[in-house]
Amino acid sequence: MVKKFALVLALISVAGLRLFAQQPIPGEYKQNVVQGNLLIEENNWPMALLYFSEAYKVDSSNANINYKMGLCYLRTPSQKANSLRFLRKAMNNITRNYDPFDPMFKKAPENTLYYIGQAYHYNYKFDSAIAHFQSYRAIIADRDPEMVKDIDMRINWCNNAKEFMLTPLNITITNMGDSINTPFPDYGPVMSVDEQSIVFTSRRYGEIAIDGGYYEDILISEKKSDGTWTSARPISPYINTPTNEASISLSTDGQTLFLYRDDNGGDIYSSTTMNGQWMTPLPLGSDINTKYWETHACMSADGNTLYFVSDRPGGFGGRDIYRCVKLPNGKWSKALNLGPTINTSADEDAPFIHPDQRTLFFSSTGHKSMGGFDIFFTTRNEEDNTWSTPTNMGYPLNTPDDDIFYMTSPDGKRAYFSSVRADGYGEKDIYMAVLEETVSQALTLLRGRIYNADGKPLSQKVEIIVNNSLNGELVGVYKPNARTGNFTIILPTGGTYQISYVVDGKEYANEIIDVPAGSSYDVIDRSIDLRDLVLGKIRSDVPLDTTNKGGQHIVLPGDSLNNNKPPKNYKAELTEHHNLSFTMFFKYNISSIDPADQDFKNFIDSCVAHINKYGSISFRITAAASQVPTKKFPSNKALAEDRAKKAQDVVNKALIGKGVDMNKVKWVTVNAYVLGPQYKTDFEKRKKVYEKYQYVKIRGY
């Protein structure tokens, strides 16, 4: 994910912004070098490379230009291997007295040795990499102890890589193809448990970030009947914004998406589905988000444990992995660091807890890596809750470059991850690995579809309640996808489970599933037709059409339980989130919300009820103006800002009118944007198109 620094973004100068619009001037050596140097300061390596390339055409023997070219390639993920030939030329003329800003300087700095070591490493020339790292270490040994530590780590990476490549894994790695991957960065794969849909992060379009690339958006693709994937599309207008969102994980039932946003130094959010649509994300509470950097999270199959990443003080190094458990009141416990077995003095990230709830995959730069982030796994001892020493997943799954965002299928036979590889489409791509020799995980996957016979999406409140039939304890409450009706549930081995299919508060059918201890991976398919609900009644002999993995057909009779209540230990908790949002679309140049609007009054009443129940409320406002030029305001951005300010004012005034103590009200963000297609003097013809981007959205939580 891209971590932005809000202060830096706010203070970019006009001159800095102008750099993005300018192009290198052929033959203008000095000016191109100056502009390239400035772009390096902005970490805009691809654009800097364009400027230095023009300078290189003028003086290809200049060691400093070759050094800058090599450095730019080294910092461009898909081009790292190309850095080697330039850094080798730079090596011919190095100096200790280096001036990085003098455009006429002709020598390269001593740290060329360090960077050429990295270039050899990325090119799988490990002995040459080690030799150059050692040469640079000898130069700076007495004056830079932190760099010595870094060099020693990189030498270890090279030795580890040589070891892992002697015993490569028997796996097949396949690029996921151009329906998903592009020449732009595509990463962070989040696969549904049934492997029928994939959610991921991409930087392929939108507004430009400070590093010269597009901001992150979350996309989704579904598997077609022929095994190919649909063209990826934005997941939801309620999730993606003009700035960064990154997918990080999906709950087992596919109904909760965890994602990252840059707010508050970097926080973790969750979005749930409603009527088949992903809703506005809400930040995770309790001890999860802090003012520090929280980057990633995943939830166990039973929904009772959350693993997440933070660089908060008190850890073992940079980013560490923590966990929280769900308390009886439904909230998350205080965060607990997973300890020094997993966390190191370097960085750990991207945890994925397998549906077996024992195997944790994660990426680390601090364990026995062959370069950058490598993918590791560890298993939890269920008796004492300790973790085994992490094991590197091996080559060719791991490479000298960063390998991260890894997750597996429930049976453990397939894995999905992002990586920079020679066969990619450009930058980071998403890959599938088939692990040929992996033993299937011991669990049962209950999957199926609940649907209306008329083909309409599920309008009924449908829940699948799983209880331990031996002690009556609730295992979980699951919901099918409202649009497709699909559901997926993981049943651990060593248990007998009562499955209740509850529709609008009444049990429609039930069954018992036994998963003996020591049983192998199995799949049970269900297909439940709610045809009688369309007619307004529940039939007494509704069958469950069941097929197991072996192809055996079993019909389990359902029971008529019209008058029965759900199991005693089932407690449904209704959510009020959908009542705490308000959206108003505006006509041209209009920026005020009518406080007498009935939808707005209902929204305020819901907010007051929320405050009375929970003691406080937080708000976020997003306001937008289209690209249609405004005459009433200084600019379209000013119009959007006016909409946001007036929305905040009208909400405050309405709450005060209801007697609310405003100390209980917090405004988290008030954002204003100019969005939509470029105006082409066609307002009357495309009025409806432009008006989609003339709105204010208020979200309470």
Side-chain angles (χ1 to χ4, degrees):
M1 62 193 62
V2 179
K3 184 179 181 185
K4 305 188 305 302
F5 296 89
L7 181 62
V8 174
L9 285 174
L11 297 178
I12 298 176
S13 66
V14 174
L17 289 172
R18 192 164 58 243
L19 289 176
F20 294 108
Q22 291 182 351
Q23 292 296 320
I25 303 173
E28 291 290 337
Y29 177 87
K30 182 177 180 179
Q31 185 173 341
N32 285 328
V33 175
V34 169
Q35 296 285 53
N37 287 335
L38 290 173
L39 285 162
I40 284 181
E41 292 299 303
E42 300 287 353
N43 289 322
N44 191 340
W45 302 99
M47 184 64 76
L49 181 60
L50 295 179
Y51 284 94
F52 289 124
S53 295
E54 286 298 329
Y56 181 83
K57 293 177 182 178
V58 176
D59 186 1
S60 61
S61 64
N62 186 309
N64 189 32
I65 296 302
N66 278 280
Y67 167 75
K68 296 289 178 68
M69 291 276 289
L71 196 58
C72 288
Y73 276 119
L74 203 58
R75 300 296 175 86
T76 305
S78 60
Q79 302 288 327
K80 291 181 179 181
N82 293 334
S83 64
L84 186 56
R85 69 185 183 96
F86 296 99
L87 292 173
R88 289 173 69 175
K89 291 177 69 174
M91 280 284 298
N92 295 326
N93 191 6
I94 62 174
T95 179
R96 185 171 183 176
N97 300 313
Y98 178 69
D99 185 348
F101 299 108
D102 182 357
M104 306 311 292
F105 206 78
K106 293 185 176 295
K107 295 185 178 182
E110 289 178 329
N111 66 8
T112 304
L113 287 163
Y114 172 73
Y115 290 119
I116 198 171
Q118 291 187 32
Y120 276 119
H121 180 206
Y122 290 126
N123 279 274
Y124 292 82
K125 300 181 183 298
F126 304 117
D127 289 332
S128 295
I130 291 171
H132 285 83
F133 284 139
Q134 289 174 336
S135 295
Y136 188 57
R137 189 186 192 282
I139 293 173
I140 53 90
D142 296 330
R143 64 177 192 259
D144 195 342
E146 289 302 313
M147 178 57 76
V148 169
K149 290 181 182 178
D150 182 271
I151 291 172
D152 288 344
M153 177 184 68
R154 293 180 183 276
I155 291 173
N156 285 334
W157 285 353
C158 292
N159 287 322
N160 294 337
K162 292 165 65 177
E163 176 186 337
F164 292 139
M165 291 185 69
L166 292 175
T167 55
L169 298 172
N170 183 17
I171 63 173
T172 302
I173 297 176
T174 305
N175 190 292
M176 292 287 286
D178 60 5
S179 293
I180 293 173
N181 293 314
T182 65
F184 300 98
D186 302 293
Y187 50 95
V190 176
M191 186 70 68
S192 62
V193 172
D194 61 5
E195 297 177 87
Q196 296 303 299
S197 63
I198 183 172
V199 177
F200 64 98
T201 305
S202 183
R203 301 183 67 186
R204 62 181 65 179
Y205 44 58
E207 296 189 19
I208 300 295
I210 191 171
D211 64 356
Y214 295 112
Y215 284 118
E216 295 172 321
D217 271 339
I218 299 175
L219 308 184
I220 187 170
S221 174
E222 284 96 11
K223 185 178 286 187
K224 296 186 286 189
S225 57
D226 63 359
T228 60
W229 293 88
T230 61
S231 296
R233 67 182 190 280
I235 189 170
S236 169
Y238 297 102
I239 290 181
N240 290 324
T241 69
T243 56
N244 284 325
E245 290 79 31
S247 56
I248 52 182
S249 67
L250 192 66
S251 62
T252 301
D253 63 4
Q255 304 300 298
T256 301
L257 174 68
F258 295 96
L259 59 136
Y260 168 89
R261 280 184 171 172
D262 285 319
D263 299 348
N264 192 35
D267 278 354
I268 300 166
Y269 285 69
S270 66
S271 171
T272 56
T273 57
M274 183 179 296
N275 298 324
Q277 176 69 272
W278 289 102
M279 304 310 294
T280 302
L282 299 175
L284 298 188
S286 185
D287 193 31
I288 298 168
N289 286 323
T290 66
K291 66 180 181 180
Y292 300 99
W293 193 20
E294 282 75 43
T295 65
H296 201 93
C298 65
M299 190 164 61
S300 60
D302 62 7
N304 291 326
T305 305
L306 186 83
Y307 299 88
F308 71 96
V309 175
S310 176
D311 70 349
R312 65 190 63 186
F316 290 90
R319 282 167 274 168
D320 278 6
I321 302 176
Y322 294 78
R323 73 176 177 92
C324 292
V325 297
K326 188 165 287 186
L327 301 173
N329 63 5
K331 296 183 179 180
W332 293 108
S333 70
K334 288 289 186 181
L336 177 68
N337 191 295
L338 288 191
T341 300
I342 291 177
N343 294 314
T344 68
S345 59
D347 286 323
E348 280 67 47
D349 208 339
F352 168 74
I353 186 69
H354 187 271
D356 69 3
Q357 305 188 107
R358 295 179 58 250
T359 309
L360 180 70
F361 297 90
F362 65 98
S363 292
S364 174
T365 62
H367 288 286
K368 193 175 181 179
S369 168
M370 63 183 291
F373 278 104
D374 270 12
I375 301 163
F376 296 82
F377 74 91
T378 177
T379 55
R380 181 173 57 85
N381 185 317
E382 295 182 275
E383 293 183 0
D384 60 9
N385 219 31
T386 58
W387 295 93
S388 65
T389 301
T391 301
N392 190 298
M393 290 290 291
Y395 173 83
L397 192 62
N398 288 319
T399 68
D401 212 329
D402 286 334
D403 302 286
I404 197 168
F405 304 120
Y406 177 92
M407 64 170 298
T408 71
S409 57
D411 62 2
K413 291 288 190 180
R414 291 163 303 286
Y416 303 89
F417 66 104
S418 56
S419 182
V420 178
R421 294 175 182 251
D423 64 346
Y425 286 84
E427 232 261 25
K428 292 186 185 72
D429 276 2
I430 297 171
Y431 292 83
M432 180 182 73
V434 177
L435 302 119
E436 308 287 355
E437 299 174 355
T438 298
V439 177
S440 295
Q441 298 285 347
L443 53 82
T444 292
L445 178 67
L446 174 64
R447 67 185 183 189
R449 179 176 175 239
I450 299 175
Y451 58 93
N452 285 315
D454 60 2
K456 293 181 179 179
L458 294 174
S459 59
Q460 307 91 334
K461 181 183 178 183
V462 181
E463 294 177 312
I464 305 162
I465 305 169
V466 181
N467 287 278
N468 186 316
S469 64
L470 300 180
N471 56 27
E473 290 184 357
L474 179 68
V475 175
V477 179
Y478 307 89
K479 297 179 182 179
N481 183 286
R483 182 174 59 86
T484 65
N486 294 334
F487 67 88
T488 307
I489 300 170
I490 298 294
L491 301 176
T493 60
T496 301
Y497 304 95
Q498 178 181 344
I499 317 295
S500 298
Y501 301 90
V502 178
V503 183
D504 290 335
K506 296 180 180 180
E507 190 174 62
Y508 182 64
N510 66 71
E511 63 177 311
I512 299 292
I513 295 179
D514 183 37
V515 185
S519 58
S520 60
Y521 179 79
D522 198 7
V523 177
I524 299 175
D525 288 321
R526 293 286 186 265
S527 182
I528 303 170
D529 182 354
L530 302 185
R531 68 189 69 183
D532 299 287
L533 293 180
V534 177
L535 302 176
K537 62 181 182 179
I538 300 178
R539 200 174 66 192
S540 62
D541 60 343
V542 177
L544 293 178
D545 185 11
T546 305
T547 306
N548 64 18
K549 190 174 69 172
Q552 299 165 316
H553 185 77
I554 307 169
V555 176
L556 302 174
D559 296 317
S560 177
L561 299 173
N562 271 355
N563 300 318
N564 286 10
K565 297 179 180 179
K568 292 181 180 179
N569 56 352
Y570 165 57
K571 295 181 180 180
E573 187 171 317
L574 297 176
T575 178
E576 299 123 5
H577 290 330
H578 62 285
N579 295 324
L580 295 178
S581 62
F582 175 80
T583 301
M584 173 71 75
F585 289 89
F586 297 101
K587 299 297 182 181
Y588 178 67
N589 269 343
I590 303 300
S591 60
S592 298
I593 295 172
D594 181 3
D597 180 88
Q598 189 59 50
D599 287 341
F600 179 76
K601 292 167 68 176
N602 292 341
F603 166 70
I604 293 298
D605 288 340
S606 296
C607 294
V608 173
H610 183 92
I611 294 170
N612 292 336
K613 182 174 181 179
Y614 297 103
S616 65
I617 192 169
S618 296
F619 287 106
R620 294 175 182 272
I621 285 182
T622 301
S626 69
Q627 302 274 9
V628 179
T630 174
K631 298 179 181 178
K632 186 176 179 180
F633 294 85
S635 66
N636 292 62
K637 182 65 179 294
L639 170 58
E641 290 171 346
D642 190 70
R643 285 171 176 161
K645 180 64 170 59
K646 287 181 177 177
Q648 185 178 10
D649 291 342
V650 74
V651 170
N652 285 337
K653 186 175 180 180
L655 293 176
I656 292 171
K658 293 284 187 178
V660 171
D661 179 359
M662 295 307 286
N663 290 321
K664 298 179 179 180
V665 177
K666 179 182 179 182
W667 291 94
V668 180
T669 57
V670 179
N671 294 322
Y673 304 104
V674 178
L675 304 174
Q678 292 294 324
Y679 180 59
K680 299 181 179 179
T681 63
D682 56 352
F683 178 74
E684 292 300 325
K685 183 178 180 181
R686 304 182 68 199
K687 181 187 299 184
K688 292 183 179 179
V689 175
Y690 294 123
E691 286 178 352
K692 292 179 181 178
Y693 302 95
Q694 299 168 185
Y695 63 78
V696 64
K697 297 181 180 180
I698 312 170
R699 178 69 173 169
Y701 58 92

